[in-house]
Amino acid sequence: MELEAGIVDLERLSLSSGQAQALELKPALAPVELAGQSYEAEGGGAAGRLDVSRTTSGWALRLRYETPVTGPCVRCLEPARIELSVDAREVDQPSAQDEELRSPYVIEGRLEVERWANDAMVLGLPSQPLCRPDCAGLCAVCGISLNGADPSDHEHGGGGDPRMAKLRDLEL
Ligand SMILES: [Zn+2]
Ligand SMILES: [Zn+2]
């Protein structure tokens, strides 16, 4: 279905208690800032699936989508590609006093699914995106990427000052 203003009107689905409906939708996903770098969902959005279940006093909601996210590797600054997989759930019982049973994305029977999808993207991304798990990063001396480089080319004069090596160990 087409999203209007990023919202799904849950009331208009007219589900009665115990009924469920699956909706295919495509929320727009804004770039995420992490450590001063920008990470973007490929194509600016993702095809997703929203499962809406009517409970006796509200809704149980599940949102799933997958999308590649691209941005710089935090170690070597080369392009990194993260396969983001989101599977998020929300429960909303409008009459409940307990905050745990209220969803921040459901306002008067309307689900702000695009805001939810964007928050889920932030939560789903690694805090330190890498081009590959064993990225070797940049040489501390000359700044060249050590991925695929011969380590002996970056000894820069016999392993350097041993005191500096100690410091580098401490930083790890
Ligand atoms: Zn890297
Ligand atoms: Zn070097």
Side-chain angles (χ1 to χ4, degrees), residues 39 69-74 77-82 129-132:
Y39 297 86
V69 175
T70 53
C73 169
V74 293
L77 303 180
E78 290 293 317
R81 180 185 167 98
I82 301 130
L130 296 174
C131 60
R132 59 192 213 200

Side-chain angles (χ1 to χ4, degrees), residues 158-169:
D161 186 328
R163 285 169 302 173
M164 288 303 291
K166 257 270 179 304
L167 263 179
R168 282 197 296 272
D169 285 347

